[in-house]
DNA sequence: CTACGATATCGACATCGGTCAATATACATC
DNA sequence: GATGTATATTGACCGATGTCGATATCGTAG
């Protein structure tokens, strides 16, 4: 399931009717639902801090074990938020040994940015 | 368009050119809460369609009476969503006669776009 | 195989949020 | 004034969501 991103192929993120833009044309119901689900992932302060921690980390990835403490939330809660970010396509997870390493998905963030054009 | 800011206007959630960016530096708790509140306004399909209807309308503004039917929701529900968009600073309201005219706030949308940089 | 540490899942709780019917408020017209 | 229309507010319902403790799963080390 984990797919290595190819630079030339056209992305096909899980979203069926991808995105659209607010100022382009009136959104269809399907586009609106897809976008709303994505923005909902950003509608929580813990997830925003989590995503910024991942996106700004040196090396571009962080171990889950390193984000629990700075967030001040319990380990299950952080795990839950990481799952939400993963399901929204904003981060990817990579298990190496005991640890889970998370990376941001800049293309997905750019998609949402494009929706606000 | 050149509107003199009236002291009794409804908008709030000041949010100057602050907010921060996901990829810039790790967000503070305050920044994350402010951003989360803003993104929460976009985390609903009805509000996204509503905002796109307003943003793409000819003349840049729409009467509230014209959006109830295309959204397929009750008038109180649409009024509620318009209030949320207003409180998030994404739209402004202008009462002329019986009708309320809503306009998008592109600077505010750009602010959120900047947070996804 | 057993034990331990890291992460995910489960169950329960409290709160938040979208929705509508009913009602209130504001404005224009008569 | 009274009446009709457009919009906002209220109150209630109910599903969604953030949170944590307890527990399960996975991978490594001994």
């Amino acid at each position: 399931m984990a797919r290595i991103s190819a630079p030339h192929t056209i992305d096909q993120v899980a979203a069926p009717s991808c995105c659209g833009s607010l100022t382009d044309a009136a959104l269809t119901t399907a586009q609106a639902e897809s976008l709303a689900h994505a923005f909902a992932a950003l509608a929580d302060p813990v997830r925003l801090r989590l995503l910024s921690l991942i996106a700004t980390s040196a090396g571009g990835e962080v171990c889950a074990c390193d984000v629990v403490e700075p967030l001040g939330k319990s380990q299950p809660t952080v795990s839950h938020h990481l799952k939400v970010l993963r399901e929204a396509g904003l981060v990817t997870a990579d298990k190496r040994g005991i640890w889970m390493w998370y990376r941001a998905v800049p293309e997905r963030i750019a998609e949402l940015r494009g929706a606000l054009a």
Side-chain angles (χ1 to χ4, degrees), chain A residues 10-74:
Chain A
I10 304 201
D11 48 15
Q12 53 90 25
V13 189
S17 53
C18 181
C19 309
S21 169
L22 282 177
T23 55
D24 189 10
L27 295 173
T28 67
T29 302
Q31 287 175 327
E33 296 212 3
S34 174
L35 274 178
H37 188 266
F39 281 125
L42 299 174
D44 183 273
V46 176
R47 284 196 291 272
L48 283 177
R49 292 177 57 205
L50 192 43
L51 184 55
S52 73
L53 279 176
I54 298 174
T56 64
S57 65
E61 59 183 1
V62 294
C63 173
C65 56
D66 289 329
V67 292
V68 172
E69 187 224 313
L71 290 178
K73 298 294 176 180
S74 72

